[in-house]
């Protein structure tokens, strides 16, 4: 059974840092493009970062580029998101997601479509205060 389980969220002050983790179960993570997606209160899904199966290249939205870093440990089957210089507008539920297609390597920043992702985690809350 495929599962994605996020952890690492919490409450921090602006300028602080957090590391999110996504544990992958029931599939071989090194075969899949993985993404982090967030949803702020009252807003839709926002794709923020993606990682190719071998973690190269990685992609970021303009809203987080330069502050967030995505990386993975394929052996341990964990996807990470290091978040630095957090801002109140980063407050959201953060979810990891697995692309549908095994072996896909993206050579450009993806256009996000929710339907392209077969599996989603439940999410972890990040709250950034001023």
């Amino acid at each position: 059974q495929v599962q994605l389980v996020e952890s690492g969220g919490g409450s921090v002050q602006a300028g602080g840092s957090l590391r999110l983790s996504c544990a992958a179960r029931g599939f071989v993570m090194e075969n899949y493009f993985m993404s982090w997606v967030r949803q702020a209160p009252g807003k839709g899904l926002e794709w923020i970062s993606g990682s190719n199966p071998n973690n190269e290249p990685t992609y970021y939205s303009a809203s987080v580029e330069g502050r967030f870093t995505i990386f993975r440990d394929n052996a341990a089957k964990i996807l990470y998101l290091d978040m630095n210089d957090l801002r109140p507008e980063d407050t959201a539920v953060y979810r990891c997601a697995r692309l549908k297609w095994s072996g896909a390597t993206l050579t450009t920043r993806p256009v996000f479509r929710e339907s392209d992702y077969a599996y989603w985690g439940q999410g972890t809350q990040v709250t950034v205060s001023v």
Side-chain angles (χ1 to χ4, degrees):
Q1 182 181 1
V2 173
Q3 281 187 308
L4 297 171
V5 181
E6 301 94 340
S7 61
S11 297
V12 297
Q13 289 189 320
S17 299
L18 284 172
R19 172 175 286 182
L20 305 185
S21 300
C22 169
R25 301 168 183 166
F27 69 99
V28 180
M29 196 178 80
E30 66 183 335
N31 291 341
Y32 291 91
F33 186 91
M34 302 286 294
S35 284
W36 285 100
V37 180
R38 69 185 181 185
Q39 188 165 22
K43 297 188 178 180
L45 294 174
E46 178 191 10
W47 176 89
I48 57 171
S49 186
S51 164
N52 271 303
N54 64 353
N55 206 50
E56 290 293 338
T58 55
Y59 301 102
Y60 300 91
S61 66
S63 61
V64 306
E65 189 157 23
R67 300 188 298 124
F68 291 10
T69 303
I70 189 172
F71 62 103
R72 59 167 74 196
D73 182 336
N74 282 331
K77 299 174 68 173
I78 302 175
L79 180 73
Y80 295 97
L81 186 70
D82 273 351
M83 306 188 297
N84 297 308
D85 189 23
L86 283 161
R87 304 166 181 170
E89 54 264 39
D90 294 319
T91 294
V93 173
Y94 286 70
R95 303 171 71 185
C96 60
R98 195 204 83 177
L99 199 67
K100 283 181 180 176
W101 305 284
S102 174
T105 296
L106 279 63
T107 56
T108 59
R109 188 168 69 184
V111 175
F112 174 69
R113 286 186 291 263
E114 186 178 355
S115 60
D116 286 346
Y117 291 84
Y119 296 96
W120 295 76
Q122 289 299 306
T124 186
Q125 175 71 46
V126 172
T127 303
V128 185
S129 58
V130 297

